Amino acid sequence: MISLTLYSSAASGLPPTKPSLLRQIRLSSSTDSASYPRFSAVPSLPPRIWICPSYSSSQPRLSLSRPPTAVGCGPHDHHADHNHNHHSQNHHGHAHSAESELNSAQKAILGFAKAVGWTNLADLLREHLQLCCCSMALLILAAACPYVLPARASKLLQNAFISIAFPLIGVSAALDAVLSVAGGKINIHVLMAFAAFASVFMGNALEGAFLLAMFSLAHIAEEYFTSRSNVDVKELKDNHPDHALKLEFDEDTLPQFANLNYKKIPVQQLELGSYILVRAGEAVPVDGEVFQGASTITIEHLTGESKPVDRKVGDTLPGGARNLEGMMIVKTTKSWEDSTLNKIMRLTEEGQLNKPKLQRWLDEFGEQYSKVVVALSLAVTLLGPVIFKWPFIGTSVYIGSIYRALGLMVAASPCALAVAPLAYATAISSCASKGILLKGGHVLDAIAACDVVAFDKTGTLTTGKLMCKAIEPIHGHRDQGDPCCNPNCENEALAIAAAMEKGTTHPIGRAVVDHSVGRDLPNVFVESFESLPGRGLSASLTRIKTGKSYQLLDASLGSVEYIASLGKSVDESEKVKKAVKTSAYGSNFVQAALSVNEKVVEATLSAQRKAKMTEEERKNIAIERPKVTLFHFEDEPRPGVHDVVSTLRDKAKLRLMMLTGDHESSAWRVAKAVGISEVYSNLKPEDKLNHVKKSSRDTGGGLVMVGDGINDAPALAAATVGIVLAQRASATAIAVADVLLLRDNISCVPFCIAKARQTTLLVKQSVALALSCIIFASLLSVLGSLPLWLTVLLHEGGTLLVCLNSIRALNEPTWSWREDLCSLFSRLRLIMTALVEKTQFGGNIRPAPL
């Protein structure tokens, strides 16, 4: 009996075990075709989740963690999945093939191994933490025997310890090495196994056993550290609900708390518009809005915002939000595929798949490097006896060329270099915990290289929630010296503008519509509509008047420059601009202008009557009267933006600028409030695009564009790095942006830039450390100064040090080494203070009374 089980290595806090080779290779058996189906990788499953076979106890099971990989350490294969399989595999070249076919030699070996029970024993012993520790303890005792026991007794006891310890680590290593060699590939596991068994044949079984024991323990420790890089995505996966409570009710009724009838279904089966029940302590499965009830929710694990928020009827809920109290009926507004929680996990995992420059370099040169190492090892083996008179085999006194070559192959394997990009995945997870989604490790490199940050104004530096403060008729509203017909002109202008902006997402449009709510306005209907990006809107409308008449209107709404350009003459355009400059409300507000051309038509006139009208009569009946009305909006800077700008200017030493389509006075008002001294105003989308391209070329380092994703998608795409506020951004802006901010503010921008600089510095440190270990150990091994076991210790120790250095990307970033030192001293001081207090007041020790 065979059952398919879904395994996730992220489900446990313990060091994860390696997935079975059966997830990477297809295995078929001609003799047991009915009992053993073909297995293959399942690419549609999320990363770090595999389908593995689970057999009954009566059937043999094969679980191999090291499929054939590239020569040497296999960085090429390693980096194919490096970022999205950190915690499920080690970094030495095994368990990286997505899918490979067994050749005839491998099938024969597997058949023999299965027949004699080798595969079952290998599965049981493979890199088992407790067994590895037991093996190491026995080997240490074996090494100590000659120093504590008589020679005859120590030899017997030493051999006994080695005989027990060696199989615990050598059985699986031998099978994996044989399979790799049969596949025509050599990796670090083959080299280690070859070195260990060669040591046995050369009379040093203790050293060979030490090689494998240290190698296995190093891998287990390394996997533990690399699993830390995905801890935040793991928590999201663990916390998201697998099922939802879908309410069932009659079609002619709505769900009520008094009569709750629900069914538990998988979240993937939830449809748009479904009603679900969310109880206290549960997570909201998908995005929705509160239909009934009220509660307090927390979204700290999604955006990093620790303050709980209250939600009532009509409020929106992101998928993954945790309900702290109360019970709610929620109407779903998104499916699971489009929900916030799934988007966070998907984008984070996709970001870990995108390779930074260092990783691409390792992919390109890794296999060639490994071939060079093997060639150098062969040269040492063959040329050493000829040039340096080294013995070929060697003795305990004179180290042979084979021994030196084995040491070179082990020392020069690029394992430590291969795990250097681990810092990128760690940083991506760290940013995800703050509500910052990066589309790959290469984004961190790009951010760190930028020295200019450009901000959009409306919705980015400001709240974007404009309020209409005034409506001012400025041109064409007076007829033959008669005074303007206020307040009717204002109401008519507001009615026309609201009809044109209905359903818009632009901040000005939303402000117009909000200002019209609850007012008694004329009835206006849109006949045709055209949007002009960067300029405004143009529409043909119909307004119903009292009596038996109606009006045809041609209206345009947009920037002052756009409306002024619609004038029939240069003189009329100048009059509009002058009227705007002399506005009674000044120029400190955000402004938009409305131009309306009216045609009055008597509905009661027949077509024949209209045809017989003279030109004078027609002029009296149909009069074009362009009217221009100015709308004034107030937009305030976001809270905390001044601190963000100050941090980027003073600590990050970045050049800051504002790019906006608003007029100059409004732009400078906001710029002075937030502390930006370089402002470019009156920019259309294409002007922003050109300015971003020019600034990127001039600075050399690159430019970061921060926007709200409304009308600035071209600039975001052209920038070196585009950062967008995901809550309000368009789908196009989200697609072209490199960084998505889940919080509806830019407070995370300094953290993102500091994290990018921290990560690139850690990667450089890791590369330097890895190269130092490789060069140092390789030279000493060739010179014969290092035994094999010490070479392995240096090799694996360097790899672990690189892992430890990489997970420092989980720490809070700082702007300079001085801040790092201050932070370190602060932590040490806190630790010392806690130790002193524990010593003074812990246990039965009490301060003496005064």
Side-chain angles (χ1 to χ4, degrees):
M1 175 180 180
I2 298 177
S3 62
L4 292 181
T5 308
L6 198 63
Y7 288 94
S8 174
S9 64
S12 171
L14 296 175
T17 58
K18 296 182 177 55
S20 171
L21 180 63
L22 292 179
R23 77 175 178 87
Q24 303 153 17
I25 60 177
R26 292 179 177 174
L27 174 63
S28 62
S29 173
S30 58
T31 57
D32 297 323
S33 58
S35 303
Y36 295 93
R38 295 173 65 89
F39 294 90
S40 63
V42 186
S44 62
L45 289 176
R48 292 181 293 283
I49 299 179
W50 307 273
I51 290 184
C52 302
S54 176
Y55 293 89
S56 64
S57 58
S58 61
Q59 292 178 324
R61 184 170 71 93
L62 175 63
S63 176
L64 300 177
S65 65
R66 304 185 185 104
T69 54
V71 177
C73 209
H76 179 79
D77 289 343
H78 163 81
H79 286 285
D81 295 312
H82 173 78
N83 273 343
H84 70 287
N85 264 347
H86 278 299
H87 65 289
S88 66
Q89 59 199 26
N90 62 49
H91 301 271
H92 298 268
H94 67 275
H96 298 291
S97 299
E99 183 176 346
S100 61
E101 293 286 347
L102 289 174
N103 58 29
S104 57
Q106 287 176 311
K107 290 179 181 178
I109 293 171
L110 284 176
F112 171 77
K114 185 169 63 173
V116 300
W118 192 359
T119 56
N120 290 338
L121 188 58
D123 290 341
L124 178 65
L125 301 178
R126 178 171 287 105
E127 292 190 6
H128 192 288
L129 178 60
Q130 289 79 5
L131 292 178
C132 284
C133 291
C134 291
S135 177
M136 181 61 75
L138 290 173
L139 294 175
I140 293 174
L141 291 175
C145 284
Y147 301 97
V148 296
L149 295 173
R152 184 178 179 83
S154 67
K155 190 65 175 177
L156 291 174
L157 193 57
Q158 187 179 60
N159 291 336
F161 285 149
I162 295 174
S163 299
I164 297 173
F166 202 103
L168 293 178
I169 49 179
V171 170
S172 58
L175 179 58
D176 296 338
V178 170
L179 280 175
S180 294
V181 173
K185 295 183 179 180
I186 300 175
N187 52 45
I188 185 62
H189 303 280
V190 174
L191 299 179
M192 287 294 178
F194 179 73
F197 287 99
S199 297
V200 174
F201 289 111
M202 288 190 293
N204 198 345
L206 179 61
E207 185 177 39
F210 263 121
L211 293 185
L212 294 180
M214 287 188 295
F215 193 63
S216 297
L217 285 175
H219 280 192
I220 293 172
E222 182 188 337
E223 287 177 2
Y224 170 74
F225 290 124
T226 54
S227 67
R228 293 280 304 277
S229 68
N230 290 317
V231 63
D232 299 301
V233 182
K234 165 187 169 298
E235 289 177 357
L236 287 176
K237 284 180 175 292
D238 292 345
N239 290 330
H240 86 77
D242 296 323
H243 296 81
L245 304 180
K246 182 180 179 181
L247 296 177
E248 297 179 334
F249 51 91
D250 297 333
E251 294 183 359
D252 56 345
T253 61
L254 291 175
Q256 300 289 335
F257 280 120
N259 184 21
L260 291 177
N261 183 23
Y262 56 82
K263 181 174 69 172
K264 189 175 183 180
I265 64 171
V267 292
Q268 290 81 2
Q269 296 180 10
L270 275 178
E271 299 176 351
L272 246 61
S274 300
Y275 292 88
I276 57 176
L277 180 66
V278 181
R279 299 172 296 196
E282 295 179 344
V284 180
V286 297
D287 293 26
E289 63 179 27
V290 181
F291 180 75
Q292 280 190 24
S295 183
T296 301
I297 65 169
T298 178
I299 53 176
E300 182 177 6
H301 57 295
L302 299 178
T303 65
E305 296 179 359
S306 58
K307 185 179 179 180
V309 292
D310 295 328
R311 285 292 182 266
K312 59 184 184 300
V313 174
D315 291 341
T316 59
L317 297 170
R322 188 157 295 279
N323 184 19
L324 299 180
E325 58 187 20
M327 187 164 55
M328 297 180 292
I329 295 177
V330 178
K331 183 180 180 180
T332 61
T333 56
K334 291 184 180 180
S335 63
W336 164 247
E337 289 76 13
D338 299 326
S339 68
T340 298
L341 179 60
N342 187 50
K343 187 182 297 183
I344 292 173
M345 293 189 297
R346 186 176 68 250
L347 288 176
T348 302
E349 291 170 342
E350 288 175 356
Q352 292 175 344
L353 284 172
N354 293 327
K355 302 174 183 179
K357 183 185 295 185
L358 173 63
Q359 200 165 333
R360 293 195 299 269
W361 181 85
L362 289 172
D363 287 351
E364 185 177 352
F365 298 105
E367 189 170 349
Q368 288 77 1
Y369 172 85
S370 299
K371 292 178 180 178
V372 170
V373 170
V374 173
L376 288 175
S377 300
L378 289 174
V380 169
T381 302
L382 300 176
L383 299 180
V386 176
I387 298 176
F388 300 104
K389 307 304 180 183
W390 295 332
F392 191 70
I393 300 297
T395 63
S396 59
V397 179
Y398 299 103
I399 298 178
S401 60
I402 293 181
Y403 193 88
R404 296 172 193 258
L406 290 175
L408 174 61
M409 280 195 293
V410 171
S413 297
C415 302
L417 196 60
V419 297
L422 173 62
Y424 290 110
T426 308
I428 289 173
S429 292
S430 178
C431 288
S433 68
K434 300 286 186 180
I436 306 170
L437 302 185
L438 304 174
K439 294 184 178 180
H442 64 284
V443 176
L444 294 167
D445 289 332
I447 293 175
C450 292
D451 48 21
V452 179
V453 178
F455 292 96
D456 178 44
K457 183 182 81 69
T458 305
T460 304
L461 294 175
T462 63
T463 60
K465 298 178 181 178
L466 299 177
M467 295 181 60
C468 185
K469 304 300 291 185
I471 301 175
E472 181 184 13
I474 60 171
H475 178 73
H477 290 265
R478 291 174 172 81
D479 185 18
Q480 297 179 353
D482 292 338
C484 180
C485 50
N486 274 324
N488 291 336
C489 283
E490 295 181 6
N491 289 338
E492 290 176 1
L494 180 59
I496 294 170
M500 296 174 67
E501 295 284 10
K502 188 176 182 180
T504 186
T505 58
H506 195 279
I508 288 179
R510 291 199 303 264
V512 169
V513 174
D514 291 344
H515 193 63
S516 68
V517 174
R519 295 175 179 267
D520 185 16
L521 302 176
N523 295 322
V524 178
F525 303 95
V526 177
E527 301 292 339
S528 62
F529 179 88
E530 182 181 5
S531 176
L532 305 172
R535 294 174 177 81
L537 308 173
S538 178
S540 295
L541 308 98
T542 301
R543 183 180 66 179
I544 304 299
K545 299 188 70 176
T546 57
K548 297 182 179 180
S549 64
Y550 61 90
Q551 273 187 315
L552 299 179
L553 308 174
D554 290 330
S556 298
L557 175 63
S559 65
V560 173
E561 289 73 17
Y562 167 60
I563 299 301
S565 68
L566 299 178
K568 294 184 177 181
S569 64
V570 176
D571 182 61
E572 186 175 355
S573 297
E574 291 298 325
K575 286 181 180 180
V576 172
K577 293 180 180 179
K578 183 178 179 180
V580 172
K581 292 180 180 178
T582 58
S583 168
Y585 295 92
S587 58
N588 290 328
F589 293 109
V590 177
Q591 295 174 340
L594 172 70
S595 175
V596 179
N597 291 330
E598 298 181 352
K599 289 186 177 181
V600 182
V601 179
E602 292 295 332
T604 56
L605 294 178
S606 64
Q608 295 179 349
R609 175 71 181 88
K610 294 176 185 177
K612 293 179 181 180
M613 286 193 303
T614 64
E615 187 66 25
E616 188 68 23
E617 289 175 329
R618 193 180 301 278
K619 287 184 179 179
N620 292 330
I621 295 297
I623 306 174
E624 281 201 10
R625 294 179 295 177
K627 297 180 180 179
V628 178
T629 305
L630 194 62
F631 287 77
H632 299 271
F633 303 93
E634 187 177 42
D635 191 14
E636 295 299 324
R638 288 179 178 272
V641 168
H642 188 276
D643 295 335
V644 170
V645 172
S646 299
T647 301
L648 295 178
R649 182 184 60 245
D650 300 334
K651 294 186 177 181
K653 307 299 181 184
L654 293 169
R655 173 187 167 197
L656 307 178
M657 64 175 65
M658 178 196 293
L659 307 178
T660 178
D662 289 342
H663 57 80
E664 186 175 0
S665 58
S666 176
W668 275 107
R669 178 180 67 86
V670 174
K672 291 177 181 178
V674 301
I676 294 179
S677 57
E678 188 174 352
V679 178
Y680 300 91
S681 56
N682 298 316
L683 299 178
K684 301 180 181 68
E686 58 268 27
D687 297 329
K688 287 185 182 181
L689 174 63
N690 295 331
H691 200 89
V692 166
K693 290 181 178 179
K694 181 179 181 298
S695 298
S696 298
R697 289 195 305 266
D698 294 344
T699 58
L703 179 142
V704 176
M705 178 69 193
V706 184
D708 63 347
I710 300 176
N711 292 336
D712 50 13
L716 290 168
T720 309
V721 177
I723 301 179
V724 69
L725 299 172
Q727 289 190 20
R728 57 177 66 210
S730 64
T732 303
I734 290 177
V736 301
D738 302 292
V739 182
L740 306 181
L741 303 181
L742 297 184
R743 298 185 187 183
D744 193 26
N745 56 63
I746 61 172
S747 60
C748 291
V749 172
F751 175 89
C752 184
I753 294 175
K755 178 62 69 176
R757 294 183 178 182
Q758 177 199 47
T759 304
T760 54
L761 179 61
L762 289 176
V763 170
K764 291 176 182 177
Q765 293 173 353
S766 296
V767 170
L769 179 61
L771 291 176
S772 299
C773 290
I774 289 173
I775 295 172
F776 179 74
S778 298
L779 288 176
L780 293 182
S781 296
V782 173
L783 294 175
S785 302
L786 285 181
L788 268 179
W789 68 269
L790 190 53
T791 303
V792 174
L793 185 61
L794 282 175
H795 177 270
E796 296 302 322
T799 304
L800 290 178
L801 285 177
V802 171
C803 290
L804 288 171
N805 187 59
S806 297
I807 65 172
R808 288 173 56 208
L810 292 173
N811 297 337
E812 197 73 16
T814 56
W815 294 106
S816 65
W817 62 269
R818 293 184 180 89
E819 290 188 22
D820 283 333
L821 289 178
C822 291
S823 176
L824 176 61
F825 287 139
S826 297
R827 289 197 297 268
L828 290 176
R829 186 167 59 251
L830 290 174
I831 293 172
M832 295 300 296
T833 302
L835 290 175
V836 170
E837 290 178 352
K838 185 176 180 179
T839 303
Q840 290 179 346
F841 306 110
N844 296 324
I845 302 176
R846 294 290 183 271
L850 298 175

